[in-house]
Amino acid sequence: MIAIGSDGRRNLEPRNGRAKRRASALTLGSDRALVLILSIAAFFLEHVRKMGCKHSLERTATSDAFFEDPNSLKKVPCPSICDNSEKYLSLIIPAFNEEHRLPGALVEMMSYLHQRAVEDKCFTYEVLIVDDGSTDRTTKVAFDYVKKYKVDNVRVLLLGRNHGKGEAIRKGMLHSRGELLLMVDADGATKITDLEKLESEIHALADKYRGNNALTDSCANFMNKPLDAEVVVFGSRAHLEKQAIATRKWYRNFLMKGFHVVVLLTAGPGIRDTQCGFKMFTRAAAQKLFTNLRLKRWCFDVELVYLCKHLNIPMSEVSVNWAEIPGSKVRLTSILHMLFELILIRLGYGLGIWKIYT
């Protein structure tokens, strides 16, 4: 068959020849898409593999970290989460360029802790500020509090360079001395007095799984017997969600809803607010969780939920007071990085590349 072109000339190419060319172009496009998908998959798998190898080295490496004491100018060796506890409560504060927000939070925290220690002599505490490679005066602000409250109560761990919030908290947890360990944000968005809600819940859960009656005086009981149960309590802002939706921009609500769906698919149901920076762990739970934790930045919270489920560590969620503090470091690129890390969780654990140590 001979076709007539739009210019009136005869087109001697058979129609089935043009069909073959179109089919060939589609095949080429499909091949390119397949190569792109395989390349992305290879990139993720290689990234997951490297993280797994690095984690294995970190688990077996001996720590030579230390705290600096500006009062005596001596170096204080860092304790290990595997050691016996020396304090009742440890507060771990990750700080990256927080010279403006950290002082207000520390004033509130230290006032509460000091007052509670005065009223209850068996209440012992430490505040561990982890400077995640700050380039401002965060380190100076932190050391001012070491000078004021002494290195036994306030300590500063310098990471040297920025690793991410997850890594800062992991390091702080691994070098803490408390029987109860509370991670708290440097902006002071959550009222420090709310730790009592988490504390009561963690003791109730610990007694439940130990088969004991509820503790009436948590501190006194701790002094007589360590809280050896593996329990985690998450502070939650879920009860404030409607108010937050009403005040946030529509695109931020859209992004957060999408993020929550992906989190649900990654870690499963159980915890409504995984990202609240106010979480309490028993020492036994922290030892298992933070020696397994791999993510260093945004979604380490989600990984903690995933690990709790696979290590059969009981979790609970408690509503806390929370206020928006100016200076948030969450950006659009942060959301994309979160999605990237959620994929890493699914690949790393789902394919068995990341081992869970018990």
Side-chain angles (χ1 to χ4, degrees):
M1 177 179 291
I2 299 176
I4 306 297
S6 58
D7 57 356
R9 298 180 180 178
R10 292 183 176 181
N11 188 347
L12 300 179
E13 182 182 12
R15 287 183 180 176
N16 61 351
R18 290 200 299 273
K20 287 181 180 179
R21 279 200 305 152
R22 285 196 295 270
S24 178
L26 289 173
T27 302
L28 181 61
S30 300
D31 290 343
R32 288 176 177 173
L34 181 60
V35 169
L36 178 62
I37 292 172
L38 291 175
S39 299
I40 293 174
F43 167 77
F44 273 106
L45 289 173
E46 178 62 15
H47 195 78
V48 167
R49 186 192 66 79
K50 287 182 177 179
M51 289 181 67
C53 293
K54 185 176 181 181
H55 179 262
S56 296
L57 293 173
E58 290 175 345
R59 278 182 56 84
T60 56
T62 56
S63 175
D64 56 355
F66 58 86
F67 299 108
E68 292 184 358
D69 183 0
N71 293 312
S72 66
L73 301 181
K74 293 181 179 179
K75 294 180 178 180
V76 180
C78 285
S80 168
I81 189 69
C82 297
D83 299 336
N84 292 329
S85 59
E86 300 176 20
K87 300 281 188 178
Y88 174 66
L89 178 68
S90 291
L91 266 65
I92 291 87
I93 308 173
F96 174 65
N97 291 345
E98 294 287 1
E99 66 170 306
H100 299 297
R101 301 195 298 179
L102 184 60
L106 284 175
V107 167
E108 181 184 353
M109 291 177 196
M110 298 310 300
S111 175
Y112 167 82
L113 294 170
H114 178 71
Q115 184 62 34
R116 185 167 170 182
V118 169
E119 295 173 355
D120 188 348
K121 297 301 181 183
C122 73
F123 177 81
T124 55
Y125 68 89
E126 68 172 348
V127 174
L128 207 169
I129 304 164
V130 186
D131 188 332
D132 189 23
S134 297
T135 56
D136 63 357
R137 297 172 67 253
T138 297
T139 302
K140 181 183 182 305
V141 170
F143 274 119
D144 285 343
Y145 279 83
V146 181
K147 293 177 182 177
K148 182 176 180 180
Y149 291 95
K150 311 305 179 187
V151 75
D152 186 52
N153 289 323
V154 181
R155 296 182 167 189
V156 180
L157 183 62
L158 304 175
L159 298 191
R161 65 180 180 84
N162 180 250
H163 293 269
K165 181 180 178 181
E167 179 66 2
I169 291 174
R170 187 182 77 89
K171 289 287 190 182
M173 291 284 177
L174 294 180
H175 295 307
S176 61
R177 295 175 290 166
E179 187 63 31
L180 293 179
L181 299 93
L182 176 72
M183 56 171 274
V184 54
D185 287 340
D187 58 5
T190 305
K191 289 291 183 182
I192 191 62
T193 52
D194 278 358
L195 75 83
E196 295 178 16
K197 297 180 182 179
L198 276 65
E199 183 184 4
S200 296
E201 180 69 9
I202 214 165
H203 278 287
L205 280 176
D207 290 333
K208 175 183 177 181
Y209 287 96
R210 274 194 316 218
N212 297 340
N213 295 324
L215 296 176
T216 56
D217 185 345
S218 59
C219 184
N221 275 275
F222 158 70
M223 297 302 291
N224 295 325
K225 180 175 60 177
L227 219 174
D228 54 0
E230 298 170 0
V231 181
V232 179
V233 177
F234 293 77
S236 175
R237 305 158 298 177
H239 61 294
L240 303 173
E241 185 64 22
K242 289 184 179 179
Q243 178 184 348
I245 290 175
T247 56
R248 281 196 306 245
K249 298 290 185 181
W250 68 268
Y251 57 87
R252 289 194 64 189
N253 287 327
F254 176 78
L255 289 172
M256 291 308 298
K257 287 291 185 183
F259 176 74
H260 289 156
V261 170
V262 179
V263 168
L264 184 65
L265 294 174
T266 303
I271 300 298
R272 295 174 62 194
D273 182 9
T274 60
Q275 303 307 113
C276 181
F278 204 71
K279 298 178 176 66
M280 184 175 282
F281 308 81
T282 60
R283 190 172 187 82
Q287 182 177 338
K288 281 191 174 182
L289 293 171
F290 290 96
T291 53
N292 276 295
L293 191 70
R294 290 169 172 82
L295 295 184
K296 298 181 182 295
R297 293 197 175 273
W298 299 104
C299 286
F300 73 95
D301 309 80
V302 181
E303 187 182 4
L304 286 173
V305 174
Y306 186 96
L307 287 170
C308 282
K309 291 186 176 182
H310 285 263
L311 290 168
N312 296 316
I313 296 177
M315 297 178 290
S316 182
E317 200 168 10
V318 174
S319 297
V320 294
N321 295 296
W322 184 86
E324 183 78 40
I325 305 296
S328 172
K329 296 179 176 64
V330 179
R331 304 288 184 269
L332 177 59
T333 53
S334 304
I335 299 294
L336 298 176
H337 199 115
M338 289 177 188
L339 294 175
F340 174 77
E341 291 191 337
L342 291 174
I343 295 173
L344 293 182
I345 293 175
R346 291 302 300 173
L347 289 177
Y349 291 113
L351 297 178
I353 301 173
W354 292 355
K355 304 297 182 184
I356 298 178
Y357 300 91
T358 57

